[in-house]
Amino acid sequence: AQSVSQHNHHVILSEAASLELGCNYSYGGTVNLFWYVQYPGQHLQLLLKYFSGDPLVKGIKGFEAEFIKSKFSFNLRKPSVQWSDTAEYFCAVNAIPSNDYKLSFGAGTTVTVRA
Amino acid sequence: DTEVTQTPKHLVMGMTNKKSLKCEQHMGHRAMYWYKQKAKKPPELMFVYSYEKLSINESVPSRFSPECPNSSLLNLHLHALQPEDSALYLCASSQVGTYNEQFFGPGTRLTVL
């Protein structure tokens, strides 16, 4: 079974700073990769996803992520954060082919952006 | 329609009550999921239905009973819950196959008194 680790538990930064959140997974085969965001009191929303092709993926709200297969990583980046980016961020992976469609989540990173 | 809807949004129940959570999607997805999420924690998978059949039960206590009446609906029946079962219950759906991006509903915030 695959596992996912997110390196940062809590990140605090100022508006306009750059953000990078680390995500590594352990699975030797092919994977689908996702970043989800959960704003305070709200539900999970998909920021971006990687299935195949260009390893640099652009998502919503100015986020992007890079899949580096050799490092089993899928790090999330945003060049300039806003106060509204304060949220919980989850990396998720599912192995393919998969008979159980399980999505493995990382523990999450709390991002606090100070105005 | 790329939306998963869940009702109710909030539910407060006593330990002896019986209640149900409902989830609906009209995206033609044939896999549906129930997750439990505690504050600031990732969702924990509870059940997976594939083609309306239960395919995964992650050792969930029997006081939680899922039901998939048809391809668009998913229910979670609750009975004799404990206070530690208080959480956000999320429903999700996806296609069956390689590219199974899961679409999440807004969740039901459950409080067990």
Side-chain angles (χ1 to χ4, degrees):
Chain A
Q2 64 272 25
S3 66
V4 182
S5 65
Q6 291 184 238
H7 314 303
N8 312 98
H9 180 63
H10 193 178
V11 172
I12 302 171
L13 58 168
S14 300
E15 277 193 310
S18 63
L19 173 69
E20 180 159 0
L21 302 181
C23 173
N24 284 89
Y25 64 93
S26 64
Y27 181 71
T30 305
V31 292
N32 293 329
L33 298 156
F34 307 88
W35 274 99
Y36 286 91
V37 62
Q38 193 168 28
Y39 299 103
Q42 296 192 27
H43 62 285
L44 279 171
Q45 298 175 42
L46 183 69
L47 269 180
L48 44 78
K49 63 192 177 195
Y50 174 81
F51 289 155
S52 63
D54 188 344
L56 186 60
V57 179
K58 297 214 182 285
I60 61 171
K61 303 178 190 281
F63 285 89
E64 65 178 30
E66 185 175 13
F67 171 48
I68 302 179
K69 189 174 181 180
S70 60
K71 295 185 177 179
F72 301 91
S73 70
F74 190 55
N75 294 351
L76 181 71
R77 298 193 289 254
K78 185 169 183 178
S80 176
V81 295
Q82 300 172 309
W83 176 80
S84 57
D85 292 321
T86 295
E88 195 77 19
Y89 291 80
F90 295 100
C91 179
V93 173
N94 73 343
I96 53 174
S98 170
N99 293 325
D100 60 18
Y101 320 115
K102 279 188 179 182
L103 196 58
S104 297
F105 284 89
T109 298
T110 303
V111 173
T112 302
V113 179
R114 292 183 171 154
Chain B
D1 185 1
T2 57
E3 193 179 44
V4 176
T5 59
Q6 290 187 242
T7 55
K9 289 185 179 178
H10 300 276
L11 179 62
V12 179
M13 60 186 290
M15 290 191 285
T16 58
N17 292 157
K18 285 186 181 181
K19 296 286 185 184
S20 296
L21 310 184
K22 296 185 184 303
C23 172
E24 190 167 5
Q25 57 89 14
H26 294 288
M27 293 178 276
H29 292 165
R30 301 305 295 276
M32 295 186 77
Y33 312 78
W34 279 116
Y35 289 86
K36 174 182 177 180
Q37 186 182 26
K38 293 281 199 178
K40 293 194 180 290
K41 297 292 185 185
E44 298 171 29
L45 184 65
M46 299 174 72
F47 303 103
V48 180
Y49 273 83
S50 176
Y51 295 103
E52 296 88 70
K53 287 186 171 31
L54 184 64
S55 61
I56 294 178
N57 175 341
E58 292 282 25
S59 303
V60 179
S62 60
R63 57 186 184 267
F64 295 91
S65 175
E67 178 197 18
C68 191
N70 60 54
S71 60
S72 300
L73 292 174
L74 187 65
N75 298 323
L76 186 63
H77 303 296
L78 314 172
H79 174 55
L81 294 193
Q82 305 296 309
E84 59 265 28
D85 297 321
S86 298
L88 182 68
Y89 287 84
L90 296 166
C91 174
S93 71
S94 75
Q95 295 179 357
V96 170
T98 300
Y99 304 112
N100 55 332
E101 173 188 344
Q102 292 186 22
F103 292 77
F104 284 84
T108 294
R109 178 77 58 189
L110 174 67
T111 302
V112 182
L113 301 176

